[in-house]
Amino acid sequence: MVCLGLREVVVCCILLCSFEISFGAKTRHFKWDVEYMFWSPDCKESMVMGINGQFPGPTIRAKAGDTISVQLTNKLHTEGVLGTPWADGTASISQCAINPGETFIYRFIVDKAGTYFYHGHFGMQRSAGLYGSLIVDVADGEKEPFHYDGEFDLLLSDWWHQSVHHQEVGLSSKPFRWIGEPQTVLINGRGQFNCSLAAHFSNGTANQCILRGNEQCAPQILHVLPNRVYRLRVASTTALASLNLAVGNHKMVVVEADGNYVQPFEVEDLDIYSGESYSVLLTTNQDPSKNYWISIGVRGRKPQTPQALTLVNYSPTSASKLPISPPPVTPTWNDYDHSKSFSNKIFALMGSPKPPRNHDRRIILLNTQNLIDGYTKWAINNISLHLPSTPYLGSIKYSLKSAFDNKRPPENFASNYDIMKPPTNPNSTTGNGVYMLRLNTTVDVILQNANALSANVSEIHPWHLHGHDFWVLGYGEGKFTKKDEKKLNLKNPPLRNTVVIFPFGWTALRFVTDNPGVWAFHCHIEPHLHMGMGVVFAEAVEHVNDIPNQALACGLTGKRLMGTKQN
Amino acid sequence: MVCLGLREVVVCCILLCSFEISFGAKTRHFKWDVEYMFWSPDCKESMVMGINGQFPGPTIRAKAGDTISVQLTNKLHTEGVLGTPWADGTASISQCAINPGETFIYRFIVDKAGTYFYHGHFGMQRSAGLYGSLIVDVADGEKEPFHYDGEFDLLLSDWWHQSVHHQEVGLSSKPFRWIGEPQTVLINGRGQFNCSLAAHFSNGTANQCILRGNEQCAPQILHVLPNRVYRLRVASTTALASLNLAVGNHKMVVVEADGNYVQPFEVEDLDIYSGESYSVLLTTNQDPSKNYWISIGVRGRKPQTPQALTLVNYSPTSASKLPISPPPVTPTWNDYDHSKSFSNKIFALMGSPKPPRNHDRRIILLNTQNLIDGYTKWAINNISLHLPSTPYLGSIKYSLKSAFDNKRPPENFASNYDIMKPPTNPNSTTGNGVYMLRLNTTVDVILQNANALSANVSEIHPWHLHGHDFWVLGYGEGKFTKKDEKKLNLKNPPLRNTVVIFPFGWTALRFVTDNPGVWAFHCHIEPHLHMGMGVVFAEAVEHVNDIPNQALACGLTGKRLMGTKQN
């Protein structure tokens, strides 16, 4: 569905089984129809996947401890949609698709305050616009560890004029056809194609900009009062783009990352990768007779997409008054030092859970670009993930061994592999084997980046884990070695659910297997996942019980369920 | 799937249960992967739904009595495909969708020689190119009632440059957005956009024509020997267009319609509506030093689509020699007298099964264009068909009454309805009630055309019945009345599975309910069906047994199957 990728929510579903709902918590009901509709996210008409006629989908707002109940009806004519709440609904991992015309009710508890979002996880439905915000406030009687007077949600995404179907077929074609850079970056589903809102500062031949009105592409302006503190909840559901956000004349203080409080730190601009969310505090301490640009630029890939812009409008200044200064220029796309410096400033807030001192198991995952029968793919330890048609959760629970590769995927790569060069043998294989994890094990994962197929190319990949937060123990250059172990941060590593690997570098993370289920761990760049960039962790599945039948009603688990009940 | 709409095949599935396979008959195995791919059907690149990398799909060739086994894998990323062999696979009628990644094996006996085709029946997958030919030869030792020296298949379709998804969303939008006329008519999946092959006879600014080579859009030329008789097997899987086929300087003799032999008759040109198939005999009795155009034009709608063209090439004349005469001009689009004259020439071959003398039940179906909440729809007796998510076959068999409207749809319309004028009250309702038919009843259906929403507009609709051939008892003008009954042809009416209603006219047909199942009866124009133009006949479902579980594994029948088997 829609709830796939619901981050923390995953955990909450499990909590639902074992804990009582706390006093004062509510069940919040939503009824959603998902369908394609004509829409002009960037002033140019396209088709988007909407929910209840809205794009992006409605914001879910709840308090920690609440139960969310979403009754989702797939009104698409031929496409299934995939959802999560049973486990977390990655296609082929935890649940069967919701077929056209069918309805599925997702119930889950949101146990932790923070900034989240939901999105479809079936095919490339995220690129098609199936996403929305999920904001969880602290429970009654609890407090955030910082103060603010008001807040704004900024859900960021990227947008192509070519249909998702077209993009998808290109990725699966031989020769490979790359979808190219997005035409537009959207803020809350709104952007302007070929019109930097600041057209008069640029010298391109931009379209006329639409700053106001009911147009679907007019920006949502942030109306503020002077001398207040605002919380900007920034989340990125981009299919491809890594982004950087800056506010003209203002600094920001980062206080939350992926639903976890962090040690507050001040920045001029904020890096945000696909799958991540942040809260930053913005103090409106500038000249109130002026307005200020918010500017969002593309990082990590040579940008061919104009900056997305909107305005911070100080009351009582008119919102139609354009800023005097040009929009802040976000850092150069390949200024990786800037990015690393930002990532390395993120520490857990004091009092946050600390990681175990030692790991029980270490899995090293080499990220490579490969060829399989002439098709361009991404592979992890030389296996490109091709999901099976029977969701793992059921096939593992019921030992349906023909449902996926029984051979365990490798836990490391050849020690002589040169990560600084294109692969000597670019050929790889597809597979869908599973890393089996025992309960209450401390697992370290080392994500190892490498050179892609072309020389001197190594891309950024934001890796996202379902079912868990993990501690980010550190980042490094080149190949991870024994001496890097000593540099790992075990003191105050931040908890995240998404973490980036930088070009030619490594990232180390740790988690404890305390959440039985089957969890995808994958690059959150949608075309990369589509091309095989992911692995699957099966965690103590013997402890998963009461899987709803509807989540099993496909593939081999469907056959098994129906095995004996025929007339 | 793919086998939806497999006409006679429907019947064959039933035969499979009750008869032994005759001696000498074979099982023919096919293994098909369905996926989207880039293709240039009319020299302009688009996406098509291909089977095993081919467009159109592979031709199935078999002998009467053979068993066809198609193992179909859905390689589409998010779309289900729908298939028939259990019953005949209309989405929501007889079977659940085949989800992405899943495989389904269709087995059916082809019991009757003739010219057929297969196509997808889920959403608008037919418009997307999911179709191919199905040719059944007479069984060993049997003979066709006519002679021929060679044969050619001509599978006709129409093609749009806008994606099917875009078309579909337009049809479901408020205000309604019509998909418009097709850009190109294709012969065996090949056509040329904006190039009548005869560009030098026209005065438009046509593209250069591609007559030869490996291009996907180069026409398949019919290479013939002089003084021979060729059987042209012509079938139309158009989404919209009614067509007319003519061969320069040659007459044709019609010998087969929808897999049934007809009394041979000579024509200058052949009308063919979506869903129909014909065999015509062409005698190559013209000057063999010349080549001749085959020309296919649009009927019934003001054509904005150029004629499709290919060549009859007489050996040993070079295929590159263009005909001296311009391509035959097919009749004017609105020359309905021509069309009626053609339809009225079709009679069953002597010795064909005759209809019972009397009917037991008569169902009159008024065809109207309507508005529902501002959406443009088609309705039958004021109900626009909206298929339920649980296929009828299972929900009726197992009395799952909440699966569809239990109120029986009306068998007639108000006697004072003026079919010559737009509806006084254009509002209508959606529904999915069922006409329940008892076993061995003779049912007459009167299809009654009417004025659409705009004054002086009444469209052609080719109605197609699944699960049955029916006798076409006659056509008439205006409203069907008692005195029209006497004019019905009970002597030698042709058996068909598709029949047209002409503007402002009626068509009478008869069938005997000897085939238990649930059968869609609908306008074969894909956007019209999408807009609700169909009804459902449930025929003696209590006699249907052994429905495969996989055909029931969705919606309420899926829940029922799984009801008791949970851990």
Side-chain angles (χ1 to χ4, degrees):
Chain A
M1 88 143 172
V2 148
C3 281
L4 291 208
L6 260 182
R7 302 348 154 55
E8 288 318 296
V9 169
V10 170
V11 184
C12 307
C13 298
I14 302 303
L15 293 179
L16 188 58
C17 314
S18 42
F19 295 106
E20 283 295 293
I21 295 172
S22 65
F23 181 77
K26 280 187 185 164
T27 298
R28 296 177 193 268
H29 293 276
F30 298 86
K31 201 162 172 289
W32 286 358
D33 290 344
V34 174
E35 60 191 324
Y36 276 109
M37 57 191 189
F38 292 114
W39 201 264
S40 302
D42 64 352
C43 304
K44 185 175 179 303
E45 191 183 78
S46 302
M47 285 197 303
V48 304
M49 285 180 92
I51 299 174
N52 296 349
Q54 282 180 245
F55 168 78
T59 294
I60 297 182
R61 185 107 203 182
K63 277 187 188 154
D66 285 351
T67 300
I68 306 293
S69 168
V70 178
Q71 179 183 335
L72 182 126
T73 301
N74 176 2
K75 297 217 158 180
L76 308 175
H77 297 293
T78 52
E79 287 186 38
V81 288
L82 232 293
T84 158
W86 179 255
D88 74 332
T90 16
S92 290
I93 300 214
S94 54
Q95 176 179 344
C96 299
I98 308 168
N99 288 320
E102 290 193 332
T103 296
F104 194 99
I105 296 177
Y106 294 101
R107 278 178 75 87
F108 48 90
I109 295 181
V110 286
D111 70 335
K112 204 168 71 171
T115 304
Y116 308 103
F117 61 97
Y118 60 86
H119 63 78
H121 212 292
F122 191 30
M124 288 173 63
Q125 291 180 342
R126 180 155 51 96
S127 298
L130 192 55
Y131 45 72
S133 292
L134 168 62
I135 308 296
V136 182
D137 292 309
V138 291
D140 288 339
E142 304 214 350
K143 278 191 174 172
E144 304 270 11
F146 44 82
H147 161 82
Y148 54 101
D149 303 298
E151 66 172 81
F152 297 97
D153 296 342
L154 302 176
L155 180 61
L156 312 180
S157 56
D158 41 11
W159 190 252
W160 283 259
H161 292 159
Q162 235 180 12
S163 79
V164 168
H165 296 93
H166 199 101
Q167 296 180 28
E168 215 167 48
V169 174
L171 295 176
S172 314
S173 288
K174 186 164 67 173
F176 179 66
R177 298 198 197 178
W178 175 238
I179 62 174
E181 300 304 309
Q183 272 69 55
T184 311
V185 171
L186 307 179
I187 308 173
N188 294 336
R190 294 154 176 272
Q192 309 221 355
F193 174 58
N194 220 5
C195 145
S196 76
L197 275 182
H200 60 289
F201 297 109
S202 74
N203 47 13
T205 53
N207 297 333
Q208 192 166 358
C209 297
I210 296 164
L211 273 165
R212 242 175 315 281
N214 291 321
E215 284 82 2
Q216 289 161 348
C217 57
Q220 284 179 355
I221 291 172
L222 283 62
H223 302 284
V224 299
L225 298 174
N227 299 310
R228 297 285 196 283
V229 177
Y230 291 91
R231 178 180 190 169
L232 308 188
R233 297 177 179 270
V234 188
S236 172
T237 180
T238 55
L240 175 65
S242 303
L243 299 174
N244 181 279
L245 179 147
V247 185
N249 291 47
H250 292 73
K251 294 189 177 179
M252 298 171 279
V253 175
V254 181
V255 291
E256 183 214 344
D258 299 356
N260 297 288
Y261 298 123
V262 299
Q263 198 63 50
F265 64 103
E266 193 178 68
V267 291
E268 299 271 349
D269 55 80
L270 176 83
D271 273 347
I272 183 164
Y273 302 97
S274 177
E276 294 186 334
S277 61
Y278 287 99
S279 284
V280 296
L281 302 180
L282 179 89
T283 303
T284 51
N285 53 11
Q286 296 300 303
D287 179 354
S289 71
K290 297 197 178 79
N291 294 324
Y292 302 88
W293 292 115
I294 293 183
S295 175
I296 296 162
V298 173
R299 318 255 17 235
R301 308 181 64 90
K302 201 165 183 176
Q304 291 168 20
T305 313
Q307 288 184 322
L309 296 173
T310 187
L311 284 174
V312 176
N313 164 231
Y314 272 66
S315 178
T317 304
S318 161
S320 63
K321 186 174 177 183
L322 286 183
I324 293 166
S325 320
V329 176
T330 52
T332 322
W333 70 273
N334 57 358
D335 181 358
Y336 294 114
D337 286 341
H338 186 97
S339 306
K340 290 170 192 170
S341 154
F342 175 81
S343 293
N344 282 314
K345 279 182 199 150
I346 305 173
F347 298 108
L349 186 65
M350 217 181 316
S352 301
K354 287 194 177 186
R357 300 299 305 169
N358 299 300
H359 63 272
D360 301 311
R361 182 168 174 186
R362 174 179 286 162
I363 299 171
I364 302 180
L365 300 177
L366 176 69
N367 292 228
T368 53
Q369 196 177 30
N370 298 81
L371 292 173
I372 299 180
D373 300 332
Y375 293 94
T376 304
K377 298 281 181 188
W378 290 94
I380 304 307
N381 291 349
N382 215 35
I383 297 172
S384 182
L385 182 63
H386 181 79
L387 290 170
S389 58
T390 304
Y392 288 108
L393 185 62
S395 60
I396 296 174
K397 176 74 187 172
Y398 300 112
S399 304
L400 307 175
K401 299 206 166 173
S402 61
F404 58 91
D405 295 349
N406 291 290
K407 200 178 158 220
R408 301 280 175 262
E411 312 237 336
N412 206 337
F413 58 96
S415 59
N416 62 350
Y417 190 94
D418 187 348
I419 67 150
M420 303 303 289
K421 291 193 180 144
T424 323
N425 173 7
N427 293 315
S428 181
T429 53
T430 57
N432 54 32
V434 169
Y435 292 92
M436 294 288 183
L437 307 182
R438 262 195 287 256
L439 197 63
N440 292 321
T441 312
T442 299
V443 177
D444 276 12
V445 175
I446 313 293
L447 288 163
Q448 178 65 60
N449 212 339
N451 198 103
L453 285 172
S454 308
N456 302 316
V457 173
S458 183
E459 297 186 20
I460 279 189
H461 303 286
W463 277 80
H464 171 66
L465 177 60
H466 291 248
H468 282 279
D469 278 343
F470 49 73
W471 291 277
V472 179
L473 304 185
Y475 306 85
E477 309 284 327
K479 203 186 278 192
F480 180 83
T481 63
K482 210 143 187 82
K483 70 174 170 19
D484 291 316
E485 290 187 39
K486 289 171 204 139
K487 292 187 240 161
L488 299 180
N489 173 16
L490 300 177
K491 202 180 116 222
N492 58 356
L495 278 166
R496 306 291 305 255
N497 56 49
T498 304
V499 71
V500 80
I501 42 172
F502 291 107
F504 300 108
W506 57 261
T507 298
L509 56 97
R510 178 169 294 182
F511 63 97
V512 176
T513 54
D514 53 5
N515 187 13
V518 181
W519 309 118
F521 183 44
H522 62 87
C523 178
H524 208 266
I525 293 178
E526 197 160 64
H528 289 187
L529 172 57
H530 195 83
M531 292 159 74
M533 198 166 205
V535 297
V536 176
F537 293 145
E539 183 173 337
V541 176
E542 67 280 10
H543 291 273
V544 177
N545 289 307
D546 304 318
I547 306 171
N549 277 336
Q550 205 182 341
L552 298 170
C554 60
L556 296 178
T557 45
K559 279 193 185 149
R560 177 187 169 278
L561 277 170
M562 289 183 279
T564 57
K565 274 217 70 190
Q566 178 55 347
N567 55 316
Chain B
M1 92 145 169
V2 148
C3 283
L4 292 207
L6 260 183
R7 299 349 150 58
E8 288 319 294
V9 169
V10 169
V11 184
C12 308
C13 299
I14 304 301
L15 292 179
L16 189 58
C17 314
S18 42
F19 296 105
E20 283 294 293
I21 295 172
S22 64
F23 181 77
K26 280 187 184 163
T27 297
R28 296 176 193 268
H29 293 277
F30 298 86
K31 201 161 171 290
W32 285 357
D33 289 345
V34 174
E35 61 190 324
Y36 275 108
M37 57 190 190
F38 291 115
W39 201 263
S40 302
D42 64 352
C43 304
K44 185 175 179 307
E45 191 182 78
S46 302
M47 286 197 302
V48 303
M49 286 181 90
I51 299 174
N52 296 348
Q54 281 180 246
F55 168 77
T59 295
I60 298 183
R61 185 108 204 182
K63 277 187 188 154
D66 285 352
T67 299
I68 305 293
S69 168
V70 178
Q71 179 183 335
L72 181 125
T73 301
N74 177 2
K75 297 219 160 180
L76 307 174
H77 297 293
T78 52
E79 286 186 39
V81 288
L82 234 291
T84 160
W86 179 255
D88 74 332
T90 14
S92 292
I93 300 213
S94 54
Q95 175 179 346
C96 299
I98 307 169
N99 287 321
E102 291 193 333
T103 296
F104 195 99
I105 296 176
Y106 294 101
R107 279 178 74 88
F108 48 90
I109 296 181
V110 286
D111 70 335
K112 205 168 69 171
T115 305
Y116 308 102
F117 62 95
Y118 59 86
H119 64 79
H121 213 291
F122 191 30
M124 288 175 60
Q125 292 180 342
R126 178 153 53 94
S127 298
L130 190 56
Y131 45 72
S133 294
L134 168 61
I135 307 296
V136 182
D137 292 309
V138 292
D140 288 339
E142 302 213 353
K143 277 192 175 172
E144 303 270 11
F146 43 82
H147 161 82
Y148 54 100
D149 302 298
E151 66 171 79
F152 298 97
D153 295 343
L154 302 176
L155 179 61
L156 312 181
S157 56
D158 41 11
W159 190 251
W160 283 258
H161 292 161
Q162 233 178 15
S163 79
V164 168
H165 296 92
H166 199 100
Q167 295 181 28
E168 216 166 48
V169 175
L171 294 176
S172 314
S173 288
K174 184 164 70 172
F176 179 67
R177 297 200 198 178
W178 176 238
I179 62 174
E181 300 303 310
Q183 272 68 57
T184 311
V185 171
L186 307 179
I187 308 173
N188 294 334
R190 293 153 177 271
Q192 309 220 355
F193 174 58
N194 219 5
C195 145
S196 75
L197 276 181
H200 60 290
F201 297 108
S202 75
N203 47 13
T205 52
N207 297 333
Q208 194 167 356
C209 297
I210 296 162
L211 273 165
R212 243 176 315 280
N214 292 322
E215 284 81 1
Q216 289 161 346
C217 57
Q220 285 178 356
I221 290 171
L222 283 63
H223 302 285
V224 299
L225 297 174
N227 297 311
R228 297 284 196 283
V229 177
Y230 291 91
R231 179 180 190 169
L232 309 187
R233 295 176 179 272
V234 188
S236 172
T237 181
T238 56
L240 176 64
S242 303
L243 300 173
N244 181 279
L245 179 149
V247 185
N249 289 50
H250 292 72
K251 293 189 176 178
M252 298 172 281
V253 175
V254 181
V255 292
E256 182 214 343
D258 299 356
N260 296 287
Y261 298 123
V262 299
Q263 198 62 50
F265 63 102
E266 194 178 69
V267 291
E268 299 271 349
D269 55 80
L270 176 83
D271 274 348
I272 182 164
Y273 302 97
S274 176
E276 294 186 333
S277 61
Y278 287 99
S279 284
V280 297
L281 302 181
L282 179 90
T283 303
T284 50
N285 52 11
Q286 296 300 303
D287 178 355
S289 70
K290 298 198 176 76
N291 293 324
Y292 302 89
W293 292 113
I294 293 183
S295 176
I296 296 162
V298 172
R299 317 256 17 235
R301 307 181 64 90
K302 201 165 183 177
Q304 291 169 21
T305 313
Q307 288 184 320
L309 297 172
T310 187
L311 285 175
V312 176
N313 165 231
Y314 272 66
S315 176
T317 304
S318 162
S320 63
K321 186 175 177 183
L322 286 183
I324 293 167
S325 321
V329 177
T330 51
T332 322
W333 71 274
N334 57 357
D335 181 357
Y336 294 114
D337 286 343
H338 186 97
S339 305
K340 290 171 191 171
S341 154
F342 175 81
S343 292
N344 282 312
K345 279 181 198 151
I346 306 174
F347 299 107
L349 186 64
M350 218 182 315
S352 302
K354 287 192 176 187
R357 300 298 305 168
N358 299 300
H359 63 272
D360 300 312
R361 183 169 173 184
R362 173 179 286 161
I363 299 171
I364 302 179
L365 301 177
L366 176 69
N367 291 228
T368 53
Q369 198 178 29
N370 297 82
L371 292 172
I372 299 181
D373 299 333
Y375 294 95
T376 304
K377 298 283 180 185
W378 290 94
I380 304 306
N381 292 350
N382 216 35
I383 297 172
S384 182
L385 182 63
H386 181 79
L387 289 170
S389 58
T390 304
Y392 288 108
L393 186 61
S395 59
I396 296 174
K397 176 75 186 171
Y398 300 113
S399 304
L400 307 175
K401 298 204 166 171
S402 62
F404 59 91
D405 296 347
N406 292 290
K407 200 179 157 218
R408 301 282 176 261
E411 313 236 335
N412 205 337
F413 59 96
S415 59
N416 62 351
Y417 190 94
D418 187 348
I419 68 149
M420 303 304 288
K421 291 194 179 141
T424 323
N425 173 7
N427 292 315
S428 181
T429 54
T430 56
N432 54 32
V434 169
Y435 292 92
M436 295 286 183
L437 307 182
R438 264 196 285 257
L439 196 63
N440 292 320
T441 312
T442 300
V443 178
D444 276 13
V445 175
I446 313 293
L447 288 163
Q448 178 65 59
N449 213 338
N451 197 105
L453 285 171
S454 308
N456 302 314
V457 173
S458 183
E459 297 187 20
I460 279 189
H461 302 287
W463 277 79
H464 171 66
L465 178 59
H466 292 248
H468 282 279
D469 279 343
F470 48 74
W471 290 278
V472 180
L473 304 185
Y475 306 86
E477 309 286 325
K479 203 187 278 191
F480 180 82
T481 61
K482 206 139 191 89
K483 70 177 171 14
D484 290 316
E485 289 187 39
K486 289 171 201 135
K487 292 186 240 160
L488 299 180
N489 173 15
L490 299 177
K491 203 180 117 224
N492 57 356
L495 277 165
R496 305 292 302 257
N497 57 47
T498 303
V499 72
V500 82
I501 43 172
F502 292 108
F504 301 107
W506 55 261
T507 299
L509 55 95
R510 178 169 293 181
F511 63 97
V512 176
T513 55
D514 53 5
N515 187 13
V518 181
W519 309 118
F521 182 44
H522 61 88
C523 177
H524 208 265
I525 292 178
E526 199 160 63
H528 289 187
L529 172 57
H530 195 82
M531 293 159 74
M533 200 168 204
V535 296
V536 176
F537 293 144
E539 183 173 337
V541 175
E542 67 279 9
H543 291 273
V544 177
N545 289 309
D546 303 319
I547 306 171
N549 277 336
Q550 206 181 340
L552 298 171
C554 61
L556 297 178
T557 46
K559 280 194 184 150
R560 178 187 168 276
L561 277 170
M562 289 182 279
T564 58
K565 277 215 69 192
Q566 178 57 346
N567 56 314

